[in-house]
Amino acid sequence: KHAWDNYKRYAWGLNELKPISKQGHSSNLFGNIQGATIVDALDTLYIMEMKEEFKEAKEWVEKNLDFNVNAEISVFEVNIRFVGGLLSAYYLSGEEVFRKKAVELGEKLLPAFNTPTGIPWALLNIKSGIGRNWPWASGGSSILAEFGTLHLEFVHLSHLSGNPVFAEKVMNIRKVLNRLDKPEGLYPNYLNPSSGQWGQHHVSIGGLGDSFYEYLLKAWLMSDKTDEEGKKMYYDAVQAIQTHLIRKSSGGLTYIAEWKGGLLEHKMGHLTCFAGGMFALGADGAPNDKTGHHIELGAEIARTCHESYDRTSMKLGPEAFRFDGGVEAIATRQNEKYYILRPEVIETYMYMWRLTHDPKYRQWGWEAVEALEKHCRVDGGYSGIRDVYNNHESHDDVQQSFFLSETLKYLYLLFSEDDLLPFEHWVFNTEAHPLPVLHKDDGNKEENQ
Ligand code: DMJ
């Protein structure tokens, strides 16, 4: 409520809030599409029964959310936050405006797929339909975690619009990936959309790779376990990750390293911490009696990520931590010591709690709540921190929209009963927007009704 009220007071209708300077914050990820915090927070407001706030947010969407703008946007960010947020708001509330807006935005994103291979561009001007890739990406490549994180939303867009084009686009991405040789069974982070060849052989379960793996598993779960291709791709990938990337430190902490052309960098990003929850969520379907092993792996990653928080002064985790040069789970570089209100560690606690009911996950979640209140809460909302090892806060003055959509929602779910958004019926997109499992008989049910 503190995060929302201050956003409303100082930055209403803009993308994000600057809680120290008490004004709006615009990120170039959304071009001049506005209202990221509103759309990202809709389902959180709904789930937390903040009815008045949800009503105001819905009215803003009806009157002001406009995609007819001359804007170059990140296809990935707009998909996970805006399309995902609108889809969840529709499924939870049944309000037609959200369905309509989601499909309208989905249509705007389609020109991104106009490449020789159908692997989409990272950036798209939604007025002109012209796409391009990030100038920093290896050899003009698209990014695995970006084009690999469209599947759940696009399947739902086809489901809700009756137009198969969305699902076709994401199924083609799978086809391209399945034709390619994978070094040691791993997926490099870079793929050129024109040649269909990998760029640099860098592999990460954190930034640039992360949610691609998440969406393989969740595509299978969301299909009511009928998507055998997604299932196979997920468990094969996890096998290769275990063999080549997962290591144990001398102090006994399991971590997931980064792989650069066969050499390991013994660094784990905060983003990588989501994988604890992913392994646990996928444990049930693991082949060869490996269920217990996948749960254990999830638990070990959760413990390592908790250590990365516990070993700081502020009890909030750094952006990246290392297992080399005599340290374990500690950031050594100044530019990796920040915390920007990210959710991944709390997300993993939530999955581990639901799947094991070990009370330590609630304790760890509560430690994070106390640290957020102590160090991130300011008069004008919540802010990120520049150095979590310092004893004095230097605030970055941004309240990220994912703080409302993910961090706060996962905390709320961690302390709720399991029947609030039960895993049998819902999967969370990578921005924590719940999407319903498409049960085998859904089509008939709709016809019958
Ligand atoms: C969010 O936008 C999503 O969770 C994404 O998958 C990764 N980065 C942020 C949160 O850290």
Side-chain angles (χ1 to χ4, degrees), residues 117-119 141-142 144 147 172-201 212 229 233 236:
T117 54
I119 295 290
S141 292
S142 303
L144 183 69
F147 65 77
N172 175 61
I173 296 178
R174 286 243 187 114
K175 207 157 107 201
V176 174
L177 288 173
N178 278 325
R179 274 203 303 257
L180 280 164
D181 279 340
K182 282 139 215 96
E184 309 287 359
L186 296 165
Y187 290 83
N189 293 335
Y190 302 104
L191 178 61
N192 187 300
S194 304
S195 66
Q197 298 301 313
W198 300 118
Q200 277 172 321
H201 282 194
F212 160 69
E229 183 183 54
M233 288 170 80
D236 286 353

Side-chain angles (χ1 to χ4, degrees), residues 76-77 80-81 210-211 271 342-344 402 406 430-431:
F76 160 77
E77 295 289 353
I80 65 170
R81 302 192 204 206
D210 49 9
S211 40
L271 291 165
R342 286 199 192 278
E344 291 77 16
F402 54 66
E406 295 197 70
T430 196
E431 189 78 0

Side-chain angles (χ1 to χ4, degrees), residues 113 117-120 144 147-152 155 167-180 182 187 191 198 212-223 226-234:
F113 295 82
T117 54
I119 295 290
L144 183 69
F147 65 77
T149 310
L150 304 169
H151 197 101
L152 305 182
V155 166
E168 285 164 11
K169 297 290 182 201
V170 290
M171 288 315 288
N172 175 61
I173 296 178
R174 286 243 187 114
K175 207 157 107 201
V176 174
L177 288 173
N178 278 325
R179 274 203 303 257
L180 280 164
K182 282 139 215 96
Y187 290 83
L191 178 61
W198 300 118
F212 160 69
Y213 304 96
E214 176 186 353
Y215 271 34
L216 293 177
L217 171 64
K218 291 181 176 174
W220 175 57
L221 296 175
M222 200 181 83
S223 71
T226 59
D227 178 357
E228 291 295 328
E229 183 183 54
K231 178 183 187 189
K232 180 171 178 353
M233 288 170 80
Y234 172 71

Side-chain angles (χ1 to χ4, degrees), residues 145 189 203-214 234 241-242 245-247 254-259 265-280 297-306 308-309 317-323 336 339 342-349 351-352 406 430:
N189 293 335
V203 176
S204 171
I205 314 307
L208 309 186
D210 49 9
S211 40
F212 160 69
Y213 304 96
E214 176 186 353
Y234 172 71
I241 291 166
Q242 286 200 63
L245 273 63
I246 297 190
R247 294 290 177 266
T254 300
Y255 62 96
I256 313 179
E258 312 243 316
W259 191 89
E265 190 180 4
H266 298 273
K267 157 187 154 180
M268 188 164 164
H270 191 288
L271 291 165
T272 321
C273 287
F274 91 96
M278 177 179 75
F279 292 140
L297 197 54
E300 287 181 24
I301 298 298
R303 183 164 82 92
T304 299
C305 292
H306 175 255
S308 80
Y309 275 48
E319 181 66 5
F321 43 95
R322 297 194 175 248
F323 297 85
E336 293 175 346
Y339 172 68
R342 286 199 192 278
E344 291 77 16
V345 176
I346 290 162
E347 172 181 354
T348 277
Y349 296 161
Y351 280 101
M352 293 308 304
E406 295 197 70
T430 196

